[in-house]
Amino acid sequence: MEELSADEIRRRRLARLAGGPSSQPTTPLTSPQRETPPGPPVVAPAPGPSHSLGLNVHSMTPATSPIGASGVAHRSQSSEGVSSLSSSPSNSLETQSQSLSRSQSMDIDSVSCEKSMSQVDVDSGIENMEVDENDRREKRSLTDKEPLSGSEVSEEQALQLVCKIFRVSWKDRDRDVIFLNSLSAQFKQNPKEVFSDFKDLIGQILMEVLMMSTQSRDENPFASLTATSQPIAAAARSPDRSLILNMGSNPGSSPMFCNVGSFGSSSLSSMGGSGSSSVSDSCSDHFTIENCKETEMLNYLIECFDRVGIEERKAPKMCSQPTVSQLLSNIRSQCISHAALVLQGSLTQPRSLQQQSLLVPYMLCRNLPFGFIQELVRTTYQDEEVFKQIFIPILQGLAVASKECSLDSDNFKYPLMALCELCEIKFGKTHPMCSLVVSLPLWLPKSLSTGAGRELQRLSYLGAFFSLSVFAEDDNKVVEKYFSGPAITLENTRVVSQSLQHYLELARQELFKILHSILLNGETREAALNYMAAIVNANMKKAQMQTDDRLVSTDGFMLNFLWVLQQLSTKIKLETVDPMYIFHPRCRIDLPTDETRVKATMEDVTAWIAELYRDPSPFSEPKFPTECFFLTLHAHHLSILPSCRRYIRRLRAIRELNRTVEDLKNNESQWKDSPLATRHREMLKRCKTQLKKLVRCKACADAGLLDENFLRRCLNFYGMVIQLMLRILDPAYPNIKLPLTPEVPKVFAALPEFYVEDVAEFLFFIVQYAPQVLYEPCTQDIVMFLVVMLCNQNYIRNPYLVAKLVEVMFMTNPAVQPRTQKFFEMIENHPLSTKLLVPSLMKFYTDVEHTGATSEFYDKFTIRYHISTIFKSLWQNIAHHGTFMEEFNSGKQFVRYINMLINDTTFLLDESLESLKRIHEVQEEMKNKEQWDLLPRDQQQARQSQLAQDERVSRSYLALATETVDMFHILTKQVQKPFLRPELGPRLAAMLNFNLQQLCGPKCRDLKVENPEKYGFEPKKLLDQLTDIYLQLDCARFAKAIADDQRSYSKELFEEVISKMRKAGIKSTIAIEKFKLLAEKVEEIVAKNARAEIDYSDAPDEFRGKLGFLKTDSYRRRGICFVTWILSVYTLIETMYGL
């Protein structure tokens, strides 16, 4: 053998490493840029020697790619150069009779390579040299190094490259290449006139190959090719995706009659390594694709396009040569052009717009070569008809796939990511796909019924993508998969919630990118804003207390929409937001005509707006920041707040069902032998089933609503809203001074009331269910807003709105919610609150007596309970102590407050103690089982119903009464003089005497009930507090006030009180002795009053009949009580109305 040079030995070794033994079977091989699928190892064929044309084809960087140079805006690439549409590795796919690949990278094996290379007279006969494994690794590493390429590529080498990429031959037939009969005949006849340039040759090759496919009815000319990159299949890293062929009854039938592919919603099983049976054994949820001639041709074209990238990645320097770069660019463009013809059905039968595009499964599998879709868009978007013919079916296919998706698996993200990447394709300042999306008839369909919100979700193009939801009422697949176990533990729920929240975050990020791309495109921004406004306007009914859910969009849809708007609003600066936008003639938001305003009446608003419209100068052209800000604000009103209300209603329903189940179980002994036993058992079973269902629904809602990141975004946006309103209230913000000007700014007065109410309601929700969210940078503005509004209640017309702000402050009280102590301290220590907060709350305490509502009598007790709790905390703060003392000594405001406090204590204690007496009576009856059984069934049920009602009343009223008594106890301990005023002392003494009589009088035994702690009844504590108030106010003036109360006071009553305190050990001996001394003082005053009574015996005869009734003891007492009552009423009226 002739002595080989060192270069020749190196060249042959490299070729052998690239080629491998020729005897290996030709089974599908994973593409170089993709990973091997899981499963049994697959024997790989040897790719052809890459040196055979002198083109050691390595990798090509994106900068050297003809597509990258063409101005296509690509997303970030992986190291393999695969686009995000095709970044996932793929597995092989085998059907019963053929292997139809997605992108058959046709690196041929050594045998077929030798034959194909011999056709262009290139020597590839290289001996296989036996080397050890270390030598193999050494030589394998050498292949990674690009050889020097100083010489130009010859025409024969270029032909070799073309044949390699297209896997064709016009010389010898082989099973691993497609033999081109027509070109073969032309080359034999006149080789120099076959093609004018390589572009012409590429076109001839592709057209002949594709026509071979269309003309062969039953045979697939591509079936004999060895796949060098995997077809569409499950990715090794994501084993839940798969592609199957939707086999028709006749494989050779027209593609017009092929079944249309569908996209399943559940997890897809891996097909890797399962052999030919993997298709039939896979689960029913899958990507499917038509098995037709167009699919065969499209597979071939995509594979050829992919092989161009493979060659570029192997030899970037070689491919950067102008001739090679132009050749590869021509191959790419020709593949794209012919793919466009195939997608239109130009080579077979025309495809209608209603047929799903053949590209959709490829995009869902994310297995297209880098730049394929971008190049397809660039090639076709300037021809409107062709562009629509190709991409409208793609858009429709993605929407259909998204409709079938659910968050029970991660398949939901593939339609979203595909659409997102389509919308982000940009040429210059144009986003062609965005323009196409908004031109669709269903971009913004007209409303056909009263259910405009639900219609928009179901019919609009983006509605399918925005509908992903974790709520059970929106998608029961989530609850069935994640929360259908026998028991839902707290830890399991937390882990599942985090996973679902992560899924939602991914989906919402893609939705944001889609809508953001449409807004960035100048041609489509108006359409995007119209769509956003249509969602808001169509769902106005969601803000109602009673909403028909069938007429509005689902909570999941609205929350996804809100998340996207929040992201769009994050960079908005308030200086660019026009607060007059909501009154602008061109405002996109349709406010209901009867929308309640913060301060102004509807007549005021109408007159003011008419005045503004006469002089349009205050209005400027609406800008995007302003429109986006107000759309986001109204989206909060229609999404997060209704979801919070539904969540609270569900919790209330769970509590009620739990109580019902417990009651039925506890009373089973009473009904198990009755005729109604069967009905009760059915009811118990029904309640348990419903309870289980509600608990699962709550678990889903926890994942969808109690997402800390999402709630923080809501809180931060409300912080921006608060800043805007504070700027309206006082342009000097943040240097606001209180009190504000008496005249309310008209802009603020005319704002919708829910702008303020939503802030309070959202704060109320997160304080209860996610207090950790409260501490954000915007918290300082929220605190300032609460203080400003509470100290300027005249700026708000609705007293119940002020009451909501009070309730927020109440809920943040450490005594109620310990986790919000820092927030409450920020309120009470705020510089604006130290002087005005206490007087303002005290004024509201009295003003709430009359709210104008039919339920005002009962509403006031809850509101005053909240204020009393706040006062107890503020009293402990030194900064507010002086304000309290000033108010105590100021006069009428404090007198009104104490009068209301006395009235409330009297009513609440009286009602709660009376209800306890009724409870005692029914419980005594039920203890006597014989007499109880003698009562008719309807009477028993009536008594039990009354018992349940009394129990609810006593619990509620006792809680309120205890708080008012606590307030008295605290105030009288710190300051006594204000309570001894002539207008307050007698009323306070009468109230205390009356309640002592209730607790310790002759009928006190009627207050004895079973489980008094169940109702919050603590008689010892109550008696201790009442007697403490006596002792704290102990003085001659107060003793006289006690003695003057002849309705409830008696010597025997005080003796009984002393006896009970001693017996129960309620007070110390010293305190009891002090109380005894007070009783003695009172009795002395009573005796003195009796001696000082006027002797009517000397009265003239004409007055005897009129005054004689006063001589008897009973009439005397009634007369004095009546006069005292009249004086008290007059005093109350005087203090309330400032007479």
Side-chain angles (χ1 to χ4, degrees), residues 475-526:
D475 184 1
N476 61 356
K477 294 179 182 177
V478 175
V479 68
E480 290 298 326
K481 177 170 182 178
Y482 294 109
F483 303 106
S484 59
I488 303 176
T489 64
L490 184 63
E491 181 63 22
N492 291 343
T493 303
R494 186 183 63 82
V495 173
V496 172
S497 293
Q498 289 177 351
S499 299
L500 291 175
Q501 288 166 6
H502 176 67
Y503 276 1
L504 274 176
E505 190 83 5
L506 290 176
R508 289 166 175 172
Q509 286 173 356
E510 298 301 320
L511 289 170
F512 165 72
K513 293 175 186 176
I514 292 168
L515 198 57
H516 185 250
S517 297
I518 299 174
L519 286 167
L520 282 179
N521 190 31
E523 301 174 3
T524 57
R525 181 175 302 157
E526 187 69 16

Side-chain angles (χ1 to χ4, degrees), residues 800-817:
Y800 287 99
L801 181 53
V802 180
K804 278 196 174 181
L805 297 175
V806 171
E807 189 175 12
V808 170
M809 190 173 177
F810 162 78
M811 286 301 300
T812 60
N813 192 298
V816 180
Q817 175 59 276

Side-chain angles (χ1 to χ4, degrees), residues 985-1001:
R987 296 197 69 236
L988 180 57
M991 182 269 291
L992 293 171
N993 292 340
F994 175 76
N995 288 306
L996 271 187
Q997 188 182 48
Q998 292 278 75
L999 287 173
C1000 302

Side-chain angles (χ1 to χ4, degrees), residues 667-730:
N667 299 325
E668 185 176 3
S669 59
Q670 299 178 15
W671 54 259
K672 66 179 181 180
D673 297 325
S674 69
L676 299 176
T678 303
R679 191 182 73 172
H680 281 81
R681 289 191 185 94
E682 286 297 321
M683 182 185 296
L684 182 60
K685 182 179 178 182
R686 228 172 19 248
C687 288
K688 286 182 176 180
T689 303
Q690 183 67 13
L691 182 61
K692 187 176 181 181
K693 181 180 178 182
L694 284 177
V695 169
R696 291 178 178 178
C697 291
K698 177 192 172 294
C700 290
D702 287 344
L705 195 58
L706 301 185
D707 182 352
E708 290 187 18
N709 293 328
F710 182 52
L711 292 177
R712 283 193 177 93
R713 291 189 185 97
C714 294
L715 185 66
N716 285 320
F717 182 81
Y718 276 126
M720 294 175 64
V721 175
I722 285 171
Q723 286 186 37
L724 184 68
M725 289 192 286
L726 289 175
R727 289 172 189 268
I728 297 173
L729 290 173
D730 189 347

Side-chain angles (χ1 to χ4, degrees), residues 885-901:
M885 298 306 297
E886 289 177 11
E887 193 60 35
F888 291 160
N889 298 316
S890 64
K892 292 180 180 179
Q893 188 64 46
F894 179 72
V895 172
R896 291 182 64 197
Y897 167 67
I898 295 301
N899 269 317
M900 299 301 171
L901 204 60

